[in-house]
Amino acid sequence: MDLIVKRPYGTRDMVPAQAYKWHTVEKLAMETAEQYGFKEIRFPTFEETKLFKRSVGDATDVVQKEMYGVFAQSTENGKDEDGFTLRPEGTAGTVRAVLENGLLNEAMPQKVYYIISCFRHERPQAGRLREFHQFGAEMFGSDSPAADAELIAMAKGFMDRLGISGVELFINSIGCPVCRKQYHAALKAYFEERKDNLCDTCKGRLDKNPMRILDCKSPVCSGIAKDAPVILDFLCDECREHFEKLKENLSVMGIEYSVNPKIVRGLDYYTKTVFEFVASDIGAQSTICGGGRYDGLVEQLGGPKTPALGFAMGLERLIMTMENQGCDFIPEKKCDLYIASMGEAAAKKALSLAKELRDEGFWVEYDLMGRGLKAQMKYADKIGAAFSMVIGDNELENNGANLKNMRTGEQIPLRFDDGFIENFSNIVVGDMFSDTMNNI
Ligand code: ATP
Ligand code: MG
């Protein structure tokens, strides 16, 4: 087959046979978020470009190299600075939506979560796509380290529910604008001395935001960064205390962590706590989850001074980890009944019975291909129907048919008129129960 159009480089299709994996992750994400009091928020796939420039940060890789601009005439208010961009992450859109919808006037803290697609123009490889998906959570209004611990606990609790093991938690504090000023100066002095060896991008970062150099993926720059001053030595009293309390809270919840002073995160808006969950077995793209506190961002986007924090995890990387570790996914639902029919009158009966059962919530299938009886039964087998039923002239005449349990081969007579739904329902539910007991 010579396809005229192929999917864009770095994107994936989710085919129906893989859907149960995504549904597992999405369902458990929603359930976990609810347990921690987070409610779902949805916001547009694209936003005005300036939202990302001002929040994610002009000097970040995401804004400088990875953003997908969208062709657009103008913005609603006519001030088209630089058009629209497909969201590269979810925090900026969440903060914008939280402000625009007045959520900060409601009971604090406000806790929201999202499951979204994100777009970054990166070099595709395993675990790195141009369209990928995130489960993210954001909390507004609390400056307490207990909030940081709660968010970390939720991320960890979610991965535990998925059955993922061997994921390490790294935490760090990158301080506040007060302590960071001194740190920036020390960092700048350190890199200034080694400037000639830095990559061109990092040379540019030296003035704008020297902390970004610590995040550079070039081996030369990260080699130089190895011995750079660490932020933890520069924290002010408030930030230091916040970090100590966070560690205490994590210990109280029995959550293991390591302090890694090299974690600075790729986005500009973070303050104080930053953290990453790193898997040991999915190769180079091993950071499953990243997050932290961003106490200045709400104000930076025109809202009231509001402490806030959040995390985001990559669903592709989560699913990859689950596959590698042989974790269980929630199995797909199976078809309850396939009704095979012979002849036109029987086919009509199949239609009306199916309608009746579907209205009661059962998954019922019948022939749509004009197949003979043998081929119909083969199809019933292929789709894994739990029960089948054959309707022909005899069954029409008797107003009833045998219900065949496809797993055990047992045949149970079932009348079409007298208590049809109730009897069918009892048989199907009874079979599900005995099947479950057999599997225990
Ligand atoms: P990385 O260092 O891997 O580039 P990042 O710091 O850019 O990650 P974040 O912006 O913190 O990532 O996004 C949170 C999570 O989203 C990451 O930990 C990862 O699981 C996932 N993620 C980020 N970019 C991609 C991508 N291009 N493809 C797939 N997943 C991604
Ligand atoms: Mg990145």
Side-chain angles (χ1 to χ4, degrees):
M1 187 167 52
D2 234 351
L3 274 184
I4 294 171
V5 179
K6 293 193 174 159
R7 64 169 175 259
Y9 189 47
T11 65
R12 292 259 180 83
D13 302 306
M14 185 205 74
V15 293
Q18 294 293 318
Y20 72 104
K21 294 184 178 174
W22 286 84
H23 293 166
T24 300
V25 172
E26 288 163 4
K27 182 170 184 277
L28 295 181
M30 287 183 184
E31 282 178 13
T32 310
E34 270 165 26
Q35 287 183 313
Y36 284 78
F38 286 72
K39 296 255 164 70
E40 190 182 5
I41 190 163
R42 295 189 189 186
F43 43 88
T45 310
F46 62 95
E47 298 272 359
E48 284 188 40
T49 304
K50 64 171 174 275
L51 175 67
F52 302 118
K53 285 194 170 170
R54 288 191 191 167
S55 54
V56 176
D58 262 336
T60 60
D61 273 1
V62 169
V63 167
Q64 282 189 346
K65 301 192 230 163
E66 300 171 3
M67 294 222 292
Y68 273 102
V70 180
F71 291 104
Q73 274 70 42
S74 68
T75 60
E76 176 90 335
N77 53 24
K79 283 182 273 170
D80 184 0
E81 264 184 31
D82 31 22
F84 297 91
T85 291
L86 294 178
R87 60 186 173 207
E89 50 95 64
T91 304
T94 301
V95 175
R96 202 260 320 124
V98 160
L99 287 174
E100 204 161 341
N101 293 281
L103 299 187
L104 296 184
N105 302 324
E106 294 177 16
M108 290 293 196
Q110 278 291 304
K111 303 181 189 179
V112 295
Y113 79 91
Y114 48 81
I115 296 173
I116 58 169
S117 51
C118 297
F119 306 84
R120 296 186 193 177
H121 194 269
E122 307 203 65
R123 197 169 63 78
Q125 48 200 294
R128 194 175 291 289
L129 294 156
R130 290 186 170 176
E131 181 187 23
F132 62 100
H133 298 79
Q134 283 189 343
F135 162 46
E138 317 283 348
M139 192 194 309
F140 299 88
S142 172
D143 58 12
S144 164
D148 307 50
E150 177 172 276
L151 207 74
I152 290 173
M154 173 163 132
K156 172 82 172 67
F158 172 53
M159 288 185 273
D160 287 346
R161 284 188 77 176
L162 292 178
I164 291 176
S165 57
V167 175
E168 265 189 280
L169 166 63
F170 295 102
I171 61 170
N172 189 23
S173 174
I174 55 169
C176 61
V178 178
C179 36
R180 215 178 296 163
K181 205 176 256 168
Q182 287 170 24
Y183 179 57
H184 272 187
L187 208 52
K188 211 173 144 189
Y190 174 86
F191 285 123
E192 200 78 59
E193 274 176 34
R194 296 150 180 90
K195 188 176 175 176
D196 294 343
N197 296 322
L198 293 175
C199 73
D200 286 346
T201 321
C202 281
K203 279 186 187 127
R205 286 164 171 158
L206 204 47
D207 283 324
K208 275 196 207 151
N209 189 347
M211 268 170 77
R212 287 274 68 78
I213 302 174
L214 300 176
D215 211 30
C216 183
K217 301 245 158 54
S218 124
V220 178
C221 294
S222 54
I224 296 173
K226 231 183 215 127
D227 298 318
V230 296
I231 179 81
L232 289 177
D233 296 333
F234 290 79
L235 292 185
C236 64
D237 289 348
E238 190 198 320
C239 290
R240 185 183 308 282
E241 198 188 324
H242 192 276
F243 193 49
E244 290 309 315
K245 285 259 164 62
L246 165 64
K247 291 194 273 186
E248 276 172 39
N249 286 332
L250 291 175
S251 299
V252 166
M253 290 193 279
I255 296 174
E256 284 177 29
Y257 62 86
S258 314
V259 174
N260 180 349
K262 288 283 180 281
I263 292 182
V264 292
R265 309 289 308 123
L267 318 176
D268 264 359
Y269 46 59
Y270 288 110
T271 51
K272 290 186 178 146
T273 312
V274 287
F275 60 90
E276 283 182 0
F277 284 92
V278 181
S280 49
D281 50 3
I282 51 169
Q285 314 314 326
S286 53
T287 308
I288 294 189
C289 172
R293 191 168 262 289
Y294 48 89
D295 287 344
L297 182 59
V298 175
E299 205 177 11
Q300 208 173 304
L301 291 176
K305 195 167 165 30
T306 311
L309 59 160
F311 72 70
M313 28 182 123
L315 298 190
E316 283 83 359
R317 290 184 200 180
L318 271 177
I319 292 175
M320 246 166 80
T321 308
M322 289 177 75
E323 286 171 342
N324 284 350
Q325 297 188 357
C327 299
D328 288 332
F329 292 93
I330 301 168
E332 269 180 314
K333 241 188 104 191
K334 287 246 162 96
C335 170
D336 294 309
L337 173 66
Y338 184 87
I339 309 179
S341 61
M342 288 177 296
E344 211 171 300
K348 278 191 184 143
K349 187 68 187 170
L351 245 68
S352 73
L353 290 175
K355 173 75 170 63
E356 234 180 294
L357 289 170
R358 283 170 171 170
D359 286 349
E360 290 301 315
F362 293 104
W363 173 359
V364 184
E365 299 280 342
Y366 47 80
D367 180 47
L368 294 172
M369 304 297 292
R371 291 185 174 120
L373 185 60
K374 216 170 143 197
Q376 288 185 48
M377 292 310 291
K378 208 168 155 192
Y379 179 73
D381 216 30
K382 222 176 207 171
I383 62 171
F387 289 87
S388 67
M389 177 193 269
V390 178
I391 306 180
D393 292 342
N394 278 348
E395 285 74 15
L396 287 177
E397 204 169 301
N398 297 334
N399 210 19
N402 276 345
L403 195 61
K404 181 179 173 191
N405 185 322
M406 300 286 277
R407 185 168 50 83
T408 62
E410 189 190 359
Q411 306 254 6
I412 308 152
L414 189 67
R415 292 203 55 77
F416 295 152
D417 46 5
D418 207 13
F420 172 65
I421 297 280
E422 205 184 330
N423 292 337
F424 178 79
S425 177
N426 286 339
I427 295 166
V428 170
V429 174
D431 177 65
M432 275 179 200
F433 182 71
S434 68
D435 191 26
T436 312
M437 296 310 277
N438 282 344
N439 287 332
I440 288 174

